[in-house]
């Protein structure tokens, strides 16, 4: 199944602005197209196998930020395809089914591509004129919301956290849109929060209960924002809705995300072996009670709506 | 005339004379107080003299009581028949009652007039467990199937309990009813059978207030009966209904629990210390399955009076080889610190995400929340209700107040007499044994159902989705 991974990497390389989930779906449509099997069950198995191979490889090589959306999008896609396939009346030739499935798969991928645009069309109205926004981590969805707000003539300032180098990338983009920014250290969020009107966050994934998996440092930011009663908005495409349900931070890393970078451990003068994880963490989990609203391509949702959508999707 | 009818009649009479129910209750309480004072005269007279003010108050009280006693007396005379029936000691609840003779000689059931006004709207606990005192006149209701009567009486005396058990045994009784059913000529099964089931359902509800699981199952069954295609023959119709009952119980209990356990297993990991309260089938199955899988974890079982359900659970878990700690609810705050997860069972989940559980559940969940421990609730979706309830008072069930009196077997002294033993005679003392309480959704982290691990806010979504499946 290394060819699946190779195909994924290739699709991903073609358009750096595209989300990894879209690349994964394109890869799976490729699997659909190339399949030699002649039964729906066989097809479904083949798709599952390809998705599993992709997941395995990503679990090894990249963090939550790639794994969660790819994992969630694959699951939704396979569900979608199987549902269409089983809805066909008995007796329809498999080739015909396959053609329809490939078509629908492409429509599905197109819909994913458009989802960022769609969520921005709901989200930009929440950026108020004259307000100060705080962002954390690199998110194309958040950038799109802010770009659109600026294009609509809203004047606002953005405080960008450093977030391990992501901050300067974000500040560059925002400067390009003509938005004034202030780059601050992660540890300075408490200092600046009193001046912030709105916090807008991206997402690596949204959990079943409407919680947020995102760049490490999101949790303390959300807690500080809550303590100051500032609204926290999350911009995320609906393909990032996943069935993960971490109860603790530790469970997040066990589920394959929140990867731990062990390099820092070597610099620890006296490491505590009991306190896993050693070293630095890449993602953390923020509980839904810290999130005010979510901008998604399905509309502006409360966190609890994530589960409602997922139940409908997997029912 | 049945006891309830006469009590209602007395209440009506009292109302005609301009007395509200509350006044009636007050008068009764006053009467009891006077009786008590008369009995304990020697003790009371040794008390210090009453002040002038107190004396005046007392006189006024007595005067008011005298006026009301006349009307209250009528109520009492009518109500007396209710408790007059002989109570067979064989059919008592299976709770050990070492000093039954000490405990309330006169009336065994709670006297409804003795309840504090906050809970006066709840049906009083009924200790009667034979069909005659259950208000079942066999001449009048001779069409209640014996299987239903048997199940109903077992509900009443506590032999059959738990949401799953009660639902399944009720459905089994209805199966026998339907199997024995014969359609009268020129009648449609759909209409005739609905009419026949109705008094049986009434009877079961009278034995003990129905659980949410029972109500959902009844709704499903009646829906199945009323939508029977009219062209079916009698035997075909019966077969279809028997199949419907079987598949309902199988999907909603057996299959649902299997799936629920599979989902729940993902949340029990190595080194966990799982705290659980009371006992429910789903939680027990989950813990046993996790142990069978080979996950090393510990269990803390919390138990409390008067049911002590946790005792049975901890016995079974320990004998299966799980390392267990058993504590009383009172030592919860001490244990909670060293726990990693709390897993609770439920009698029902309500639409606003509230958990209806055995009394004490709310306390456990609140303590867990305050110490930042994840609270998981195991509940099969047939116990979900579209109802919303905001407090534990509006709907609850009263258990046997005497269960609170029973002396605990402790210090190796079996049946140590309780100091509460004479509570029936003391007008200032009332015992309240509430069966359920409500846990607000904010105290629950996740719900384990056969639909997966979901937040409690998804209860209405699942109720809706299920309805769509059932009624196409």
């Amino acid at each position: 199944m290394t060819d699946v991974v190779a195909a994924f990497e290739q699709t991903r390389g073609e358009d750096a602005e595209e989300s990894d989930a879209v690349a994964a779906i394109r890869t799976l449509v490729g699997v659909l197209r190339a399949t030699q099997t002649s039964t729906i069950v066989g097809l479904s198995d083949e798709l599952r196998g390809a998705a599993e191979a992709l997941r395995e490889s990503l679990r090894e090589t990249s963090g939550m930020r790639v794994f969660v959306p790819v994992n969630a999008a694959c699951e939704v896609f396979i569900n979608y395809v199987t549902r269409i396939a089983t809805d066909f009346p008995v007796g329809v030739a498999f080739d015909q089914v396959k053609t329809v499935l490939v078509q629908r798969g492409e429509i599905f991928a197109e819909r994913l591509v458009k989802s960022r645009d769609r969520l921005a069309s709901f989200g930009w109205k929440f950026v108020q004129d004259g307000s100060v926004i705080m962002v954390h981590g690199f998110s194309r969805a958040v950038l799109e919301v802010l770009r659109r707000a600026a294009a609509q003539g809203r004047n606002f300032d953005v405080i960008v956290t450093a977030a391990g180098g992501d901050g300067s990338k974000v500040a560059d983009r925002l400067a390009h849109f003509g938005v004034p920014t202030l780059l601050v250290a992660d540890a300075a969020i408490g200092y600046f929060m009193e001046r912030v009107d709105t916090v807008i966050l991206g997402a690596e994934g949204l959990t079943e209960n409407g919680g947020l998996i995102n760049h490490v440092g999101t949790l303390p930011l959300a807690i500080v924002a809550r303590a100051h009663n500032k609204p926290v908005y999350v911009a995320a495409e609906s393909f990032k809705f996943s069935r993960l349900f971490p109860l603790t931070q530790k469970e997040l890393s066990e589920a394959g995300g929140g990867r731990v970078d062990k390099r820092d451990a070597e610099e620890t003068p006296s490491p505590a072996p009991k306190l896993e994880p050693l070293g630095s963490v890449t993602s953390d989990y923020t509980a839904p009670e810290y999130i005010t609203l979510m901008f998604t391509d399905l509309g502006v949702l409360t966190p609890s709506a994530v589960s409602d959508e997922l139940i409908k999707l997997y029912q | 005339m049945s006891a309830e009818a006469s009590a209602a009649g007395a209440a009506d009479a009292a109302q005609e004379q301009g007395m509200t129910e509350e006044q009636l209750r007050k008068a009764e309480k006053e009467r009891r107080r006077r009786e008590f004072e008369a009995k304990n005269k020697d003790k009371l007279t040794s008390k210090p003299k009453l002040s002038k003010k107190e004396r005046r108050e007392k006189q006024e009280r007595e005067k008011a009581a005298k006026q009301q006693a006349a009307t209250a007396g009528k109520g009492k005379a009518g109500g007396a028949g209710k408790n007059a029936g002989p109570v067979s000691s064989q059919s008592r609840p299976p709770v050990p009652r070492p000093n039954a003779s000490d405990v309330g000689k006169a009336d065994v059931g709670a006297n409804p007039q003795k309840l504090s006004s906050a809970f006066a709207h709840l049906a009083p606990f009924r200790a009667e467990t034979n069909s005659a005192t259950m208000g079942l006149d066999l001449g009048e209701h001779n069409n209640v199937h014996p299987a239903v009567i048997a199940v109903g009486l077992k509900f009443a005396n506590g032999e059959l309990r738990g949401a799953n058990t009660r639902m399944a045994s009720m459905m089994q009784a209805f199966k026998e009813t339907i199997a024995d059913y014969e359609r009268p000529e020129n009648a449609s099964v759909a209409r005739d059978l609905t009419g026949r089931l109705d008094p049986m359902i009434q009877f079961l509800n009278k034995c003990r207030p129905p659980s949410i699981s029972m109500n959902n199952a009844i709704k499903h069954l009646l829906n199945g009966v009323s939508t029977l295609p009219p062209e079916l023959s009698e035997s075909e119709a019966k077969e279809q209904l028997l199949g419907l009952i079987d598949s309902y119980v199988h999907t909603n209990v057996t299959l649902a629990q299997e799936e629920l356990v599979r989902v729940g297993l993902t949340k029990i990991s190595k080194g966990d210390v799982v705290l659980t309260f009371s006992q429910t089938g789903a939680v027990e199955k989950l813990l046993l399955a996790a142990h069978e899988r080979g996950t090393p974890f510990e269990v803390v079982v919390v138990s409390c009076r008067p049911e002590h359900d946790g005792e049975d659970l901890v016995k079974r878990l320990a004998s299966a080889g799980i390392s267990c700690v058993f504590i009383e609810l009172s030592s919860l705050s001490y244990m909670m610190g060293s726990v990693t997860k709390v897993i609770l069972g439920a009698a029902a989940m309500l639409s606003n995400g509230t958990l209806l559980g055995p009394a004490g559940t709310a306390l456990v969940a609140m303590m867990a929340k305050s110490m930042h421990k994840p609270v998981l609730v195991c509940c099969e979706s047939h116990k979900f209700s579209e109802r919303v309830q905001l407090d534990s008072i509006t709907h609850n069930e009263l258990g046997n107040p005497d269960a609170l009196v029973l002396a605990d077997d402790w210090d190796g002294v079996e049946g140590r007499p309780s100091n509460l033993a004479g509570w029936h005679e003391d007008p200032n003392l009332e015992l309240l044994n509430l069966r359920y309480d409500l846990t607000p959704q904010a105290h629950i982290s996740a719900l384990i159902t056969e639909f997966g691990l979901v937040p409690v806010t998804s209860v209405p979504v699942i109720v809706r989705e299920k309805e769509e499946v059932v009624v196409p």
Side-chain angles (χ1 to χ4, degrees), chain A residues 234-287:
Chain A
V234 173
E237 300 89 339
S238 61
F239 59 74
K240 288 179 179 165
F241 292 6
S242 83
R243 299 221 78 180
L244 290 174
F245 201 142
L247 297 171
T248 58
Q249 302 293 336
K250 200 171 156 231
E251 277 184 20
L252 182 65
S253 32
E254 282 161 6
R259 220 164 54 97
V260 175
D261 196 340
K262 299 223 173 183
R263 277 171 308 182
D264 292 7
E266 288 160 20
E267 292 161 24
T268 311
S270 153
K274 259 199 290 182
L275 293 179
E276 267 193 301
L278 293 162
S280 59
V281 179
T282 57
S283 308
D284 61 19
Y285 162 70
T286 305

Side-chain angles (χ1 to χ4, degrees), chain A residues 23-295:
Chain A
I25 297 304
R26 293 232 158 97
T27 312
L28 289 186
V29 174
V31 173
L32 264 182
R33 211 179 268 127
T35 185
Q36 298 296 319
T37 174
S38 57
T39 61
I40 288 165
V41 179
L43 186 70
S44 168
D45 283 349
E46 200 163 325
L47 282 179
R48 271 175 219 287
E52 188 50 43
L54 207 52
R55 265 198 288 262
E56 275 309 306
S57 125
L58 291 179
R59 212 194 294 267
E60 295 296 310
T61 56
S62 45
M64 264 287 165
R65 110 172 273 155
V66 185
F67 177 79
V68 172
V70 166
N71 180 27
C74 285
E75 270 185 54
V76 174
F77 180 72
I78 293 172
N79 216 288
Y80 173 77
V81 166
T82 343
R83 204 184 266 194
I84 296 169
T86 45
D87 279 353
F88 269 100
V90 189
V92 179
F94 184 74
D95 275 351
Q96 225 175 317
V97 178
K98 198 175 121 182
T99 326
V100 174
L101 287 184
V102 171
Q103 263 171 17
R104 297 283 185 92
E106 268 155 9
I107 295 172
F108 190 92
E110 281 317 303
R111 222 174 61 204
L112 292 199
V113 174
K114 287 193 192 122
S115 55
R116 196 184 301 151
D117 252 6
R118 235 177 108 66
L119 80 85
S121 73
F122 299 122
W124 73 267
K125 295 166 197 147
F126 288 80
V127 179
Q128 280 172 356
D129 214 28
S131 62
V132 176
I133 312 247
M134 184 178 267
V135 300
H136 176 76
F138 182 83
S139 156
R140 297 189 190 95
V142 173
L143 283 171
E144 183 58 26
V145 170
L146 296 180
R147 188 196 66 78
R148 209 179 262 236
Q152 296 285 342
R154 297 269 157 106
N155 285 309
F156 55 95
D157 296 342
V158 180
I159 298 179
V160 183
T161 59
D166 278 4
S168 50
K169 269 201 287 179
V170 174
D172 274 354
R173 298 277 182 106
L174 288 174
H176 194 69
F177 306 149
V179 175
T181 55
L182 174 67
L183 191 61
V184 303
D186 286 356
I189 49 172
Y191 178 90
F192 285 104
M193 191 55 80
E194 62 184 28
R195 286 193 245 172
V196 170
D197 295 302
T198 315
V199 175
I200 304 185
L201 299 165
E204 292 170 7
L206 293 174
T207 61
E208 173 94 46
N209 56 339
L212 172 64
I213 302 170
N214 198 29
H215 194 101
V216 67
T218 299
L219 174 63
L221 174 55
I223 293 173
V224 173
R226 159 54 57 90
H228 285 75
N229 276 342
K230 309 286 181 179
V232 175
Y233 300 127
V234 173
E237 300 89 339
S238 61
F239 59 74
K240 288 179 179 165
F241 292 6
S242 83
R243 299 221 78 180
L244 290 174
F245 201 142
L247 297 171
T248 58
Q249 302 293 336
K250 200 171 156 231
E251 277 184 20
L252 182 65
S253 32
E254 282 161 6
R259 220 164 54 97
V260 175
D261 196 340
K262 299 223 173 183
R263 277 171 308 182
D264 292 7
E266 288 160 20
E267 292 161 24
T268 311
S270 153
K274 259 199 290 182
L275 293 179
E276 267 193 301
L278 293 162
S280 59
V281 179
T282 57
S283 308
D284 61 19
Y285 162 70
T286 305
E289 48 262 39
Y290 294 110
I291 297 166
T292 316
L293 286 173
M294 293 172 164
F295 311 148

Side-chain angles (χ1 to χ4, degrees), chain B residues 166-448:
Chain B
R166 281 169 74 198
M167 189 275 275
S169 48
M170 175 191 74
M171 288 299 250
Q172 184 59 37
F174 283 148
K175 250 181 88 179
E176 288 177 39
T177 310
I178 290 169
D180 292 346
Y181 170 73
E182 278 170 20
R183 178 175 58 130
E185 260 180 73
N186 303 326
S188 81
V189 178
R191 206 166 300 160
D192 184 55
L193 190 57
T194 311
R196 296 235 191 159
L197 287 176
D198 200 51
M200 307 202 200
I201 295 164
Q202 299 294 332
F203 169 72
L204 287 179
N205 292 355
K206 213 167 174 185
C207 292
R208 188 181 160 187
S211 65
I212 300 279
S213 60
M214 283 164 65
N215 280 340
N216 283 343
I218 289 170
K219 210 163 93 186
H220 185 76
L221 175 63
L222 289 183
N223 185 45
V225 173
S226 61
T227 55
L228 278 175
E231 66 272 14
L232 288 187
S233 75
E234 187 186 320
S235 62
E236 281 171 334
K238 279 161 75 172
E239 203 169 298
Q240 184 170 330
L241 289 178
L242 296 182
L244 178 134
I245 291 178
D246 275 339
S247 80
Y248 184 84
V249 176
H250 185 65
T251 357
N252 286 297
V253 180
T254 321
L255 293 184
Q257 279 192 349
E258 275 171 26
E259 188 58 20
L260 185 153
V261 165
R262 204 187 57 77
V263 172
L265 278 177
T266 60
K267 287 296 162 202
I268 299 184
S269 39
K270 192 179 140 197
D272 263 343
V273 181
V274 177
L275 182 137
T276 184
F277 173 70
S278 194
Q279 67 155 338
T280 26
V283 175
E284 184 177 347
K285 285 208 173 78
L286 173 58
L287 295 175
L288 289 174
H291 177 66
E292 246 166 62
R293 183 180 61 172
T295 311
F297 69 105
E298 285 171 44
V299 177
V300 179
V301 177
V302 184
S303 182
C304 81
R305 293 185 69 198
E307 301 292 351
H308 287 296
D309 279 335
E311 288 175 12
D312 304 336
L313 175 69
V314 80
K315 268 283 197 197
R316 288 193 293 268
L317 293 180
S319 65
I322 303 176
S323 97
C324 295
V325 177
F326 178 82
I327 59 164
E328 267 289 315
L329 191 60
S330 42
S331 25
L332 183 66
S333 60
Y334 176 77
M335 276 314 280
M336 193 56 88
S338 46
V339 158
T340 60
K341 259 161 218 163
V342 175
I343 302 186
L344 300 171
M349 289 298 305
L350 308 179
S351 255
N352 55 349
T354 305
L355 154 68
L356 179 73
T361 305
L363 211 58
V364 177
M366 186 162 63
M367 181 75 74
K369 176 73 181 178
S370 76
M371 296 199 182
H372 281 271
K373 309 291 178 183
V375 178
L376 299 160
V377 175
C378 288
C379 187
E380 303 89 336
S381 67
H382 74 95
K383 297 186 208 162
F384 288 8
S385 167
E386 71 286 342
R387 218 177 72 197
V388 167
Q389 195 179 324
L390 300 174
D391 60 63
S392 311
I393 299 173
T394 45
H395 286 279
N396 208 318
E397 203 185 317
L398 294 175
N400 187 355
D402 286 325
L404 300 179
V405 176
L406 295 176
D408 285 333
D409 177 10
W410 64 292
D411 277 354
V413 187
E414 198 174 325
R416 224 177 70 107
S418 163
N419 287 333
L420 293 174
W423 74 280
H424 285 278
E425 275 76 49
D426 187 343
N428 292 324
L429 178 61
E430 65 184 60
L431 302 187
L432 192 59
N433 177 9
L434 285 173
R435 283 196 206 259
Y436 298 110
D437 66 14
L438 289 180
T439 306
Q441 60 141 324
H443 296 170
I444 304 169
S445 322
L447 183 59
I448 305 176

Side-chain angles (χ1 to χ4, degrees), chain B residues 87-159:
Chain B
V87 178
S88 77
S89 54
Q90 285 95 329
S91 51
R92 297 244 45 80
V95 196
R97 302 174 55 101
N99 278 322
S101 54
D102 278 3
V103 184
K105 281 170 206 138
D107 37 2
V108 176
N111 192 321
Q113 279 145 339
K114 209 173 174 184
L115 279 178
S116 75
S117 52
F119 294 95
H121 62 287
L122 299 175
F125 174 79
R126 307 165 59 109
E128 300 97 332
T129 50
N130 64 53
S131 55
T133 49
M134 234 35 242
L136 180 78
D137 179 357
L138 285 177
E140 193 184 328
H141 300 275
N142 58 358
N143 41 13
V144 174
H145 194 278
V148 177
I149 296 179
V151 164
L153 295 181
K154 283 179 184 170
F155 287 171
N157 73 7
E159 209 175 310

